[in-house]
Amino acid sequence: MKRNRRISAVAVLTLAALVTGTGAGFAATTTPSATPVTTHAFDTAPATATAPTRSFQGTLPAPTGPSAAGEDVIHLTDASRPDPWVPSSGPRQLTVTMVYPAVPGTGTPAPYMTLAEAAGIIQRRNMPASSGVTPESLSSVTTHAFDGARPQRGKHPLVVLSPASENPRMMLTSLATDLASHGYVVALVGHTYEDSGETLANGQTPPCAICDDPTRIDFDAEAVSRARDVSFVIDQLTHGNTAWPLAHLIDKHEIGMAGHSLGGAAAADTMIADPRVRAGVNMDGTFHPVPMPGQIDRPFLMLGIADSHTPGSGDGIVWDRAWAALGGYKKWLTVTGADHFSFSDGDLLQEQAGFPTAPLSPERGMAITREYVTAFFDQTLKGIHSPLLDGPSPNNPEVLFQP
């Protein structure tokens, strides 16, 4: 069966002014905010006719676990509600990438995204031809995931991933493949009409419907809508195998969720609304809205940049309130030298395209993200104690335990 692939690379290479609180990596210029804005190299890259054309070949890090990463793309329709952003389009449609523990050496290399998804990112960001980033090169980023790979036997915890605002689901591919290699089934959810384009079941790739209209940007509403997307996806994956033929791999009693930026806010909102989600991770996102005491009494990890997510400073003030409200096992970690996209594929692909990145190398940012998120889910979903979460580690001096 042919799989549709998309996102990350393009978002990464097109990181225009990004609002650290919301993670609007594609169109932060349309989002009024008092939060300091971080500008990435693509914002200032010259697009002159005489600029030499680069050759872009993106490669994500290989998974670190014993299993390979198999991949499927599925399309789901929620007949119970109209699309929240474009009601005239009919019921809510979602594209979801399923990544699962697979037998090494089986399957064929999976593309990063569809050509249409890649073209949507390039068009939205006005990427100059001199960058060397084309739909073909972006869609063919090496993911280390394999279409049609033979699954490992047994049942595995499910982890749902939600990307940053205006970022397609593929921006979290490297985290997804690593989790799968360590024995997790991962659902990467594309939130239709909220990014540069997700290829749907009918082959269409609609652009963002809310990104350029300040009157329609309501992050609280968007995060709550994402929570509804996620609960619907969980419903579909845990009731038979009509949505995904390999759904029997999922242990429906062990479900977690992690999100980047607005996706992190959605993780909290999903936990409030859906008790099936037993553990959550917010990677560098403002909470929309901030949880109230008693709403989340299950394990929760807050993982963010040191510049704005330390207690009492910047967005850390919001995190202070969320931290006080969390009632279960909890950890608050900050990463020195990281920027907002250190927790996604973004900085790594930007570096590979030849542009500057954060003081923390993209490779380290991704390694830290994978290691701590996996350790957190190992402890909370598998019951495997991880000393990594007990306190500072000499192997990871960038990671600070708060408060």
Side-chain angles (χ1 to χ4, degrees):
M1 154 172 121
K2 200 99 169 160
R3 274 85 174 183
N4 294 326
R5 249 13 139 285
R6 43 119 151 251
I7 97 179
S8 235
V10 49
V12 86
L13 305 173
T14 58
L15 301 179
L18 101 45
V19 180
T20 59
T22 63
F26 286 146
T29 52
T30 66
T31 307
S33 174
T35 306
V37 171
T38 299
T39 302
H40 284 258
F42 284 112
D43 298 317
T44 57
T48 63
T50 58
T53 299
R54 295 181 52 84
S55 175
F56 170 72
Q57 292 181 315
T59 301
L60 302 180
T64 61
S67 294
E71 185 173 317
D72 285 329
V73 171
I74 62 175
H75 301 280
L76 305 175
T77 299
D78 185 354
S80 71
R81 63 174 175 138
D83 188 275
W85 315 121
V86 185
S88 61
S89 68
R92 180 68 163 162
Q93 298 183 68
L94 299 172
T95 301
V96 181
T97 299
M98 302 301 303
V99 191
Y100 57 92
V103 176
T106 64
T108 58
Y112 200 21
M113 65 191 80
T114 66
L115 286 172
E117 290 165 340
I121 298 173
I122 293 170
Q123 180 179 15
R124 177 157 183 79
R125 282 296 86 200
N126 295 315
M127 291 291 291
S130 59
S131 69
V133 181
T134 64
E136 291 76 15
S137 66
L138 190 54
S139 65
S140 62
V141 165
T142 300
T143 66
H144 301 285
F146 296 89
D147 279 333
R150 182 152 48 93
Q152 296 280 10
R153 294 184 179 183
K155 289 188 176 294
H156 312 278
L158 171 67
V159 174
V160 184
L161 297 181
S162 179
S165 175
E166 303 183 22
N167 284 226
R169 69 186 188 278
M170 282 72 106
M171 285 295 288
L172 297 177
T173 295
S174 54
L175 176 58
T177 57
D178 201 57
L179 283 167
S181 77
H182 287 277
Y184 293 89
V185 172
V186 182
L188 271 169
V189 180
H191 302 283
T192 312
Y193 294 114
E194 297 179 26
D195 58 43
S196 53
E198 302 276 338
T199 300
L200 303 177
N202 61 7
Q204 296 181 354
T205 309
C208 187
I210 60 176
C211 298
D212 298 321
D213 184 355
T215 65
R216 300 190 67 186
I217 296 176
D218 181 339
F219 291 119
D220 284 9
E222 190 174 348
V224 170
S225 176
R226 287 185 174 209
R228 295 189 68 181
D229 286 348
V230 170
S231 287
F232 171 69
V233 169
I234 293 173
D235 287 343
Q236 296 296 294
L237 293 175
T238 57
H239 291 83
N241 63 351
T242 56
W244 183 44
L246 298 180
H248 62 275
L249 297 175
I250 295 172
D251 181 349
K252 62 183 180 181
H253 301 294
E254 301 293 346
I255 300 174
M257 180 178 174
H260 177 219
S261 196
L262 186 67
D269 292 335
T270 303
M271 291 188 72
I272 291 171
D274 195 331
R276 294 174 297 179
V277 181
R278 297 188 54 191
V281 180
N282 179 353
M283 298 182 291
D284 210 51
T286 295
F287 288 88
H288 290 286
V290 177
M292 300 295 291
Q295 288 187 312
I296 299 178
D297 58 1
R298 284 151 285 158
F300 203 88
L301 169 65
M302 305 192 313
L303 177 66
I305 63 175
D307 286 350
S308 62
H309 282 131
T310 53
S313 64
D315 196 42
I317 296 174
V318 176
W319 277 31
D320 282 332
R321 292 167 53 202
W323 177 258
L326 295 173
Y329 172 82
K330 57 186 179 180
K331 293 292 178 179
W332 179 347
L333 310 179
T334 57
V335 184
T336 302
D339 70 6
H340 191 57
F341 281 89
S342 295
F343 307 97
S344 73
D345 299 348
D347 275 2
L348 183 63
L349 291 176
Q350 182 164 298
E351 178 187 63
Q352 292 173 352
F355 296 103
T357 56
L360 180 72
S361 76
E363 293 81 5
R364 278 296 294 153
M366 183 49 61
I368 287 170
T369 301
R370 289 168 141 196
E371 191 172 359
Y372 281 88
V373 171
T374 300
F376 177 76
F377 285 129
D378 279 352
Q379 184 153 312
T380 58
L381 297 182
K382 292 184 176 181
I384 301 173
H385 173 68
S386 175
L388 191 68
L389 298 174
D390 291 342
S393 165
N395 294 328
N396 297 302
E398 309 94 336
V399 180
L400 306 178
F401 280 66
Q402 312 287 349

